[in-house]
Each structure stands twice: as C-alpha cells, then as structure tokens.
Amino acid sequence: MSRFPFSLMRTVTSQGLPPRQFPTSGYVALGPLDKIEEETLPLYKPENYYPVFIGEVFGSRYQVVSKLGYGTSSTVWLCRDLREGNHYTLKMCAKGESSDREIAISKHLKHSVIEGRKRMLRMVLDSFDVVGPEGRSFVCLVYQPLGMSFTEFQELLPDQRFSKDLIQRSTQLILIALSSMHESGVVHTDISPNNILQGVKDSSILSKIEEDEIKRPIARKILSDRSIYYSRPMPLCSGLPVVSDLGEARFGKEKYYGDIMPGIYRAPEVILGMEWDYKVDIWSIGNMVWDLAEDHHLFFAKENGTLSDEQHLAEMVSLMGPPPPEFLMRSKRCERFWDAEGNWKGSICIPEQTFGLRELHFSGEDKVLFLNFLRRIFRWLPEERPTAEELAYDDLLMQPIMVKEINKLGAQIG
C-alpha cells in the first residue's frame, strides 16, 4: 500500500506492460565466500536487507531491471514502470531506516516549489511497504532516475578537478535549487559532491542499461536466501545537476539545534553547539566548491587520524581570522578555545595559511573572483553569509554571462 497519498506521479491511462523475463544463466557466478557490495560494509547483516532480485515487481508496477548501488541504509535499483513504460530509481531501505522525514519534506516541496525548479530537487515520487522474509516490513521509495554523483564524475576527470566553467554553471544551478528549498523553509544540512547528481537528459541510456542486463547479465553471488548483484555504473549524463538525499533535511521553523553535516563540512555554529539555520547550507556550498576546484578538502580537521573540533576551529581561525565577540557570546563552549577578547587559547597551534596560499589552480582575475567568492561564504556569523539567491549572482558565477555580454556589445560597436 502506498505511503505517499499525494503522489507526484502523473495519472496512468495505459493498460500496462507485461513484465520482462531476465536471464537465469549466462552470468558470472561468484563463490559463496567472496564478499561483495553491501556484504563488505562493517555492520552488514543480511536480515536487514530485503533480498531484491532482478526481474522482481514491486507495488504491482515497478519491475527491477538492474542494480545501481548500495549503502548502509539501502540498496538502489533501476526499475521500469509497467504502467507507464518509464524508468525510475527504486530505493529499498534497510530494516530500521526511517523514511518519514524524507517523505514529509518531499510532499512539502511538491506543493511549495515552482514547477520549473522541481526537476533540480530529488523528491520521493512514491513510497510503499514491502513484506520480506519472516514477515519483516521494508520501506520502498521511488525517485526520478539520475546519473552519477559529482564525486564519481570528479574521479573520472584527468586531474580530478572540475574546470572553471563547469564549476560556474553547476554551482549557479545548485544555488538556484537550494534557494527554492530555503524559500520553502527547508534546510538540506548535507550538501556535498556525494549528494549532487547528474540529471538524465537522454532517457535512452536507461533503456540501454536494461537491455545490457538481458544481453550481458551482471555478475552475482547466489545464496540460499538471496542473490547479491554487482551494481552497474551509470554513464555520463548531460542533464541539470540535481540536489538529492533529503533524509537529513529539516523544515518547520527558522532556528534549529543539534549535530548535523558531514564532519569536515560542519559549520562553526554546529561544532560549538549554537543554534543554526539555513546558512549552514551556504557553508557547505563553499566546502563543496573548494573540493571540486582543488581536488582536496579545505579543512583537514583531524588530530592523529581522528576528527577534532579543536583542530577544525584552529584551521578556521587561520583562514577567517579570530571570531567576533558577538559570535563568542552564543555558546559556552567558546570559552574552551578563546578568551574574552577572541584570542586563541587552544592547545593546537594556528596553522600558517590563507585562502590565497592554499589556492593553486587559478590566476589573475579568476583567482581574485574565486577567493572573493570563498570569503563571502566563510564567515563566523551566519547572518553575514549571503543567501543562496544572492550567491547565485556572485561575480565568479556571473563571469561567463558578463563576458558574453561584453563581447556582444563589442561586436555591435565594431
């Protein structure tokens, strides 16, 4: 039964398609002792994962045609909708993983975001429960199909860095999508290259994945109660970037408390236990853009291999200078690291670095624009950071448009 009463799916009018038959032979069968895919996860327990098999039909309409990925909280599959004929991504949540927040936020965004921007946000389109072995219930989520993540794409690039023009185009579009979320009262809290996916402009690549599964079935391990399949990599796509994974998003009020964000991406107000708001997403944008441009993280934030708040804050001081008194007054934890005048008193020395010294790939005007972009974002006081919409019109991101306009004007004059 659907858990998503206000479905985003369009009305179905066709009679439907018959399920396809997938090969039961012709694949590489791996040995039972070889651990692959989700089995390699440290806390993997087979009973926590529904034993999906290729060819299986869920919700009386979604036929699984290939495996796309796995993680600690789910396995992910490409499926064909037998009612419409389109492809979707199906996420089978692991036992105990709650999807209520993501479903609720998807419903909220469906009604509050303008139509043209919805395609840049990966919302839950449909959801339902599936009963597995021994009567265990699993939640199944359905999404628009998307390509590889920015992390995966970056690893394919020759120098593992995004070009300047790709950074400019992608970041501006991501900020436009993010501004729609913020205007709707939603904070993502987990913006990173892992959660920005390539949009699928040409759906024929999805059909090709399905056909490949029939003609060249993927290697797998056959066990008594399930098959563990290898995932098929998504090919490069040319669609718009899409902000995905709303599982940790928040909405409903302007200020929040609590630990959020990936470790090295955490904003200072989060590290210090202060209240936080949508400006944490702006901080994440700065970290993400640095990662894409420089092929390494801006903050190391570790001491002896372990995440360290003190190391993280010391690095922030080196790049942003000491925090203002107004910031220090917002948390008692600040007394551990600074005196009343904002002087550092931590046991870790402040690193000798600046944004200018760390940045190695831009030069001339490009470097000036890039550093100015970063300095607008990396501010101690969240209210001094720009909004997503303001940042979308930053000089760095507008540079290609301005150059085009100048060239057009020059041509008219000439």
Side-chain angles (χ1 to χ4, degrees), residues 308-323:
S308 166
D309 290 347
E310 186 174 6
Q311 177 67 36
H312 204 165
L313 292 168
E315 293 174 31
M316 289 181 185
V317 172
S318 70
L319 295 173
M320 299 191 295

Side-chain angles (χ1 to χ4, degrees), residues 170-240:
S170 300
T171 304
Q172 191 164 51
L173 290 167
I174 292 165
L175 285 166
I176 290 171
L178 201 54
S179 71
S180 294
M181 290 184 63
H182 293 169
E183 289 164 7
S184 300
V186 176
V187 187
H188 189 282
T189 81
D190 195 11
I191 295 292
S192 75
N194 292 329
N195 290 331
I196 307 297
L197 305 185
Q198 295 177 337
V200 176
K201 189 175 182 180
D202 180 6
S203 61
S204 67
I205 65 172
L206 305 174
S207 298
K208 185 177 186 305
I209 291 174
E210 180 177 344
E211 294 305 318
D212 283 348
E213 190 59 57
I214 289 177
K215 296 175 182 177
R216 292 174 288 278
I218 200 76
R220 66 202 65 176
K221 184 167 79 168
I222 310 296
L223 301 173
S224 60
D225 64 337
R226 68 190 61 224
S227 294
I228 309 292
Y229 301 86
Y230 271 115
S231 301
R232 284 188 183 272
M234 285 293 293
L236 287 172
C237 302
S238 58
L240 298 173

Side-chain angles (χ1 to χ4, degrees), residues 8 41 51 68 110 130 144 160 218 229 239 268 285 323 334 347 383:
L8 302 183
L41 298 171
L68 297 178
K110 182 243 179 176
V130 175
Q144 67 186 106
Q160 297 193 327
I218 200 76
Y229 301 86
I285 286 288
C334 292
S347 61
E383 58 267 31

Side-chain angles (χ1 to χ4, degrees), residues 46-66:
E47 62 270 22
N48 290 339
Y49 289 79
Y50 181 93
V52 179
F53 64 86
I54 292 176
E56 188 169 5
V57 178
F58 292 103
S60 302
R61 65 186 293 185
Y62 305 111
Q63 185 178 28
V64 174
V65 300
S66 188

Side-chain angles (χ1 to χ4, degrees), residues 282-299:
I282 304 302
W283 182 274
S284 293
I285 286 288
N287 278 281
M288 182 183 73
V289 170
W290 178 275
D291 284 355
L292 298 177
E294 302 297 320
D295 78 5
H296 61 270
H297 298 308
L298 178 60
F299 297 105

Side-chain angles (χ1 to χ4, degrees), residues 18-50:
R20 298 190 72 176
Q21 298 299 314
F22 287 83
T24 56
S25 62
Y27 49 77
V28 174
L30 304 172
L33 299 181
D34 297 328
K35 292 189 180 299
I36 64 169
E37 300 273 300
E38 57 266 29
E39 293 180 307
T40 63
L41 298 171
L43 302 178
Y44 172 75
K45 293 182 179 179
E47 62 270 22
N48 290 339
Y49 289 79
Y50 181 93

